[in-house]
Structure formats: C-alpha cells, structure tokens
C-alpha cells in the first residue's frame, strides 16, 4: 500500500515516514521545504534502509499535485503540510489561511479527481483552547480558538467533515495532537526549528547546548500545582505510531474518526525542566517571566478513545522524551545544517 505524505520532511512527518516504512508501507513525500530540509528525508532512508520518492513541491501547486498523483497512484494520504507557529499566524493571518486552508482544499480536490479515499489529517489540541474542563475528550470540541492558526485547524476539520458527508466512500482520521516532544532514539532525525524556538522543549534543549543563555518560564501564577503551565507531552515516535494505527483503522472503514493523540498526563513547565536536567545531566538556568499572551493554564487529553478504538497507548514517558531530545540536540547542535 502506498502512502503519500505531505509535509513529510518536517518534524512529525519525518518520524511518521520512519514508522510507515518500518510497518511495510511504500512512501512518497511532497514538501516545499519551507520549514524543513531534504537531509531529513535522506536520514529517514538511511535509518530504514528503504527509499522515499521525494517531490519538492507546494501543495497549492495543483498541476504539480495532479502529476504526482497520476505518477504515484497513492492509496492513502497523510496531510502534515501546514504553517504552524501560533504567534506568526497572528501577524500573518492571510498566509496561514492561504497555506493551511487552501492547501487542504487543493489536496482534497486532487484526491477526489484521482479517486483517493483515505486521509489522515494533522489537527491539534489547539481546537480545545476555550475548554475549561480537563481532561478534554473528542466531544469537548468548541468552535472557538484564540488565533488564526487554531482557526485553520478548526476550519480544515470542518471542510473535511463536510467532504466526507458528501462522499460516503471517504475514510478520514482527524488526529488532534497534544505537545509532541523528543526525537528518534538514534539522534539522526528530530525537530529543527528556524530561529528562536517558540516551543518550550526545543528552547530548553538549546539552553542545554549553550546556544541560549536561559529559559524564560512564562508565568508561575497559574492555578496549577506549581503555578506554571501544564501540557500533555507526547513522544514524537509514539505520535508517529498513532498514524500507522489510524491508517489501519481507515483502511477497513469509512466515515470520519476523530482521536486525541496524547499521553493523558499533564506535566508543568518546571517538571519538564527537571526531567530534562535529569535526562541530560545539564543544568537549565531559568527566570520567571510574565505570562505569554494567549496561553492557557492547562490542557491535557482524555486519550481513552484512541486506546479503545486504535489500541493506541504511549510507550515513552517524559524522561524518554528529554533523553531523546538531548541526544538529537547534542549530535546536531545546528539541526540539519552541517
Ligand atoms: P513542520 O513545520 O516541521 O512540518 C510541516 C512541513 O510541511 C514542513 O516540512 C514544511 O516545509 C511543509 N510545508 C508547509 N507548507 C507547505 C506547502 N504549502 N506545500 C508543501 N509543503 C509544505 O511541522 P510539524 O511540527 O511536523 O507539524 C506537522 C503538522 O502537525 C502540521 O499540520 C501542524 O499544524 C500539526 N501539529 C503540530 C504540532 C506541533 O507541536 N509540532 C501540534 C499539533 C499539530
Ligand atoms: N513556555 C515557557 N517558555 C518558553 C516556551 C513555552 O514557559 O520559552 C511554556 C508555555 O507558557 C506553556 C508550555 O511552556 O505553558 C508549553 O508551551 P509550548 O509553546 O511548547 O506549547 P503550547 O503552548 O503551544 O501548548
């Protein structure tokens, strides 16, 4: 079975390509390398000993997409390609709506034209940002969010649900990721953020390697056990495995399946810093700074539906996430750049 992976050179996409190839799928990747490097694809091939057909193309380029679908004849698509920085989306909303929403529509149109009926879509826990009750289950979803990036995820989910409603042969998994962290245990692939990392753990890793002086902890006055923000961190390899399970589910069925992919555990910023210090043996200097605008106190998953229906259960804990992140960071202090 052949899977076309959009955004497959990116952080989650590259780890998912490893899991797919190891599970016996054939893989082709479309990525415009806007936020990634071809080196990641080469390393996935090196890790698995298998080939990936790679197209450096934009998903908005319909003629190119049609040529690729005609040549590859994929059985299923996993759609990662998107812009994903929350803060940037506030400054550049039109770029985000253009890439994420039009890109998803272009993909769905191409799938329709070529009769491709299986899709796994990268959604996000950001769709829960207005929800107060924890943990959040798939029904907690409210059509409210705090930023354009979040809106693109809510809109794309809805566009996909409507498309499925119109074509009962379609089978789609909407996967709502919590906070992916870590890297492949080999240290060969990992997260390679451009510029100053927005997310907590890539920033912590750069403090450990000496690239940044200290971490700013955004707020210690939240109503949480130590006052810092609580999130549900999930090892990127567990997340990748979740895609293989979701693909299995939609291969056998049709309709829309929505799953939280998280660990079900909430961990605070200071607990993550401590876990990283233990895993790396490095001290992480930090200062308490004001809250980051738009942040919420806590969000963590009720992950029981994915466990029940997919057999999905995380195997790696926060220590494993930190150990593998540090292994990647120490081996690749400049990411994929030599
Ligand atoms: P990433 O930026 O590492 O990967 C996205 C990839 O898509 C990149 O390789 C980029 O070059 C490519 N891309 C972007 N626009 C494209 C376009 N128009 N045409 C072709 N390729 C394009 O990000 P990631 O962290 O791997 O995220 C993957 C998906 O998961 C995204 O849809 C993101 O919104 C979603 N997600 C990520 C997180 C997270 O914390 N990393 C959390 C929830 C959801
Ligand atoms: N955070 C922090 N310092 C940073 C980056 C993040 O204290 O430099 C906190 C942030 O306020 C939140 C948690 O770490 O409580 C996770 O933030 P991240 O941006 O990684 O994920 P998200 O907020 O998107 O869930």
């Amino acid at each position: 079975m052949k899977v076309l992976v959009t955004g497959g050179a990116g952080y989650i996409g590259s780890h998912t390509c490893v899991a797919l190839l190891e599970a016996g799928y054939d893989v082709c990747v479309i990525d415009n390398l806007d936020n990634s490097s071809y080196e990641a694809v080469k390393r996935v091939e090196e890790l698995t000993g298998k080939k990936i057909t790679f197209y450096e193309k934009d998903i908005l380029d319909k003629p190119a997409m049609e040529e690729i679908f005609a040549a590859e004849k994929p059985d299923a698509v996993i759609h990662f390609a998107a812009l994903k920085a929350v803060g940037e989306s506030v400054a550049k909303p039109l770029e985000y709506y253009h890439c994420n929403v039009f890109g998803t529509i272009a993909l769905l149109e191409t799938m329709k034209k070529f009769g491709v009926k299986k899709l796994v879509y990268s959604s996000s826990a950001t769709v829960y940002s207005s929800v107060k009750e924890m943990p959040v289950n798939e029904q907690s979803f409210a059509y409210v969010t705090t930023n354009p990036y979040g809106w693109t995820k809510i809109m794309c989910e809805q566009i996909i649900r409507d498309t499925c409603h119109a074509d009962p042969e379609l089978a789609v998994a909407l996967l709502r990721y919590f906070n992916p962290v870590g890297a492949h245990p080999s240290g060969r692939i990992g997260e390679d953020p451009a510029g100053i990392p927005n997310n907590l753990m890539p920033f912590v890793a750069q403090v450990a390697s000496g690239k940044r002086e200290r971490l700013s902890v955004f707020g210690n006055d939240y109503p949480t056990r130590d006052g810092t923000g609580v999130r549900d961190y999930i090892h990127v390899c567990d997340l990748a495995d979740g895609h293989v399970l979701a693909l299995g589910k939609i291969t056998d069925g049709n309709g829309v399946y929505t799953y939280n992919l998280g660990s079900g555990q909430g961990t605070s910023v200071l607990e993550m810093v401590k876990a990283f210090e233990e895993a790396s043996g490095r001290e992480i200097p930090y200062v308490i700074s004001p809250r980051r605008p738009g942040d919420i106190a806590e969000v963590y998953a009720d992950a029981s539906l994915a466990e029940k229906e997919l057999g999905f259960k995380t195997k790696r804990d926060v220590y494993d996430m930190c150990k593998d992140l540090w292994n990647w960071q120490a081996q690749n202090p400049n990411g994929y750049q030599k």
Side-chain angles (χ1 to χ4, degrees):
M1 184 165 163
K2 185 181 281 183
V3 186
L4 186 150
V5 181
T6 76
Y11 173 46
I12 306 169
S14 56
H15 289 81
T16 302
C17 285
V18 171
L20 290 168
L21 290 164
E22 285 177 345
Y25 290 97
D26 293 323
V27 172
C28 59
V29 165
I30 301 177
D31 199 304
N32 64 4
L33 302 182
D34 181 64
N35 193 38
S36 53
S37 157
Y38 179 61
E39 181 65 20
V41 178
K42 285 205 303 203
R43 293 191 187 185
V44 170
E45 291 184 327
E46 162 206 300
L47 281 171
T48 57
K50 300 199 176 154
K51 287 295 297 171
I52 290 177
T53 315
F54 178 74
Y55 297 92
E56 186 179 342
K57 293 289 175 195
D58 197 296
I59 55 166
L60 285 148
D61 181 347
K62 281 284 281 290
M65 290 283 277
E66 292 186 2
E67 263 183 46
I68 294 166
F69 272 70
E72 296 293 335
K73 301 184 179 55
D75 300 290
V77 175
I78 304 185
H79 180 32
F80 293 105
L83 301 176
K84 64 160 185 177
V86 171
E88 187 185 60
S89 80
V90 176
K92 300 177 176 173
L94 294 179
E95 284 183 26
Y96 273 68
Y97 288 114
H98 189 79
C99 177
N100 296 7
V101 180
F102 286 0
T104 299
I105 293 173
L107 175 68
L108 290 167
E109 286 172 346
T110 314
M111 287 176 62
K112 184 174 179 192
K113 183 161 179 181
F114 288 85
V116 179
K117 301 288 186 185
K118 313 282 176 195
L119 173 68
V120 178
Y121 176 69
S122 298
S123 189
S124 165
T126 190
V127 303
Y128 298 121
S129 45
S130 66
V131 180
K132 301 274 179 292
E133 283 282 293
M134 291 299 138
V136 285
N137 67 37
E138 288 77 359
Q139 310 306 319
S140 317
F141 180 61
Y143 286 79
V144 181
T145 185
T146 51
N147 58 79
Y149 168 73
W151 281 115
T152 70
K153 292 293 165 188
I154 290 177
M155 286 178 188
C156 286
E157 281 201 3
Q158 189 59 39
I159 290 166
I160 292 168
R161 277 191 290 269
D162 289 341
T163 309
C164 281
H165 186 69
D167 179 357
E169 287 180 10
L170 274 174
V172 177
L174 302 176
L175 302 182
R176 294 177 179 158
Y177 313 153
F178 284 70
N179 290 55
V181 168
H184 191 271
S186 65
R188 294 295 291 156
I189 56 171
E191 187 169 13
D192 183 14
I196 302 171
N198 294 308
N199 294 113
L200 174 66
M201 295 315 288
F203 198 102
V204 167
Q206 292 193 2
V207 173
S209 73
K211 230 175 161 178
R212 316 259 160 224
E213 208 178 325
R214 67 177 77 84
L215 171 72
S216 291
V217 173
F218 297 145
N220 67 348
D221 56 353
Y222 285 107
T224 60
R225 47 184 176 270
D226 62 17
T228 65
V230 166
R231 297 290 183 273
D232 183 335
Y233 296 93
I234 175 169
H235 195 294
V236 68
C237 293
D238 280 328
L239 189 59
D241 292 344
H243 289 73
V244 176
L245 293 170
L247 198 56
K249 179 81 180 174
I250 58 169
T251 303
D252 297 334
N254 47 22
V256 184
Y257 303 87
T258 306
Y259 297 112
N260 285 344
L261 293 185
S263 69
Q265 304 289 320
T267 307
S268 75
V269 174
L270 293 180
E271 288 165 349
M272 284 306 279
V273 169
K274 190 159 174 284
F276 189 91
E277 287 182 331
E278 278 168 17
S280 66
R282 302 259 167 146
E283 198 192 331
I284 305 299
Y286 67 83
V287 288
I288 305 294
S289 303
R291 291 182 179 190
R292 184 170 65 179
D295 268 356
I296 53 176
E298 62 173 357
V299 58
Y300 55 93
D302 174 342
S304 58
L305 188 66
E307 182 173 358
K308 186 167 154 241
E309 295 193 4
L310 301 178
F312 174 76
K313 199 155 174 46
T314 54
K315 298 191 194 94
R316 298 135 177 120
D317 62 14
V318 290
Y319 182 85
D320 300 321
M321 296 174 210
C322 294
K323 183 168 59 68
D324 291 336
L325 169 58
W326 176 235
N327 187 32
W328 153 256
Q329 179 72 38
Q331 284 188 47
N332 307 272
N334 299 314
Y336 288 110
Q337 279 180 353
K338 296 267 155 52

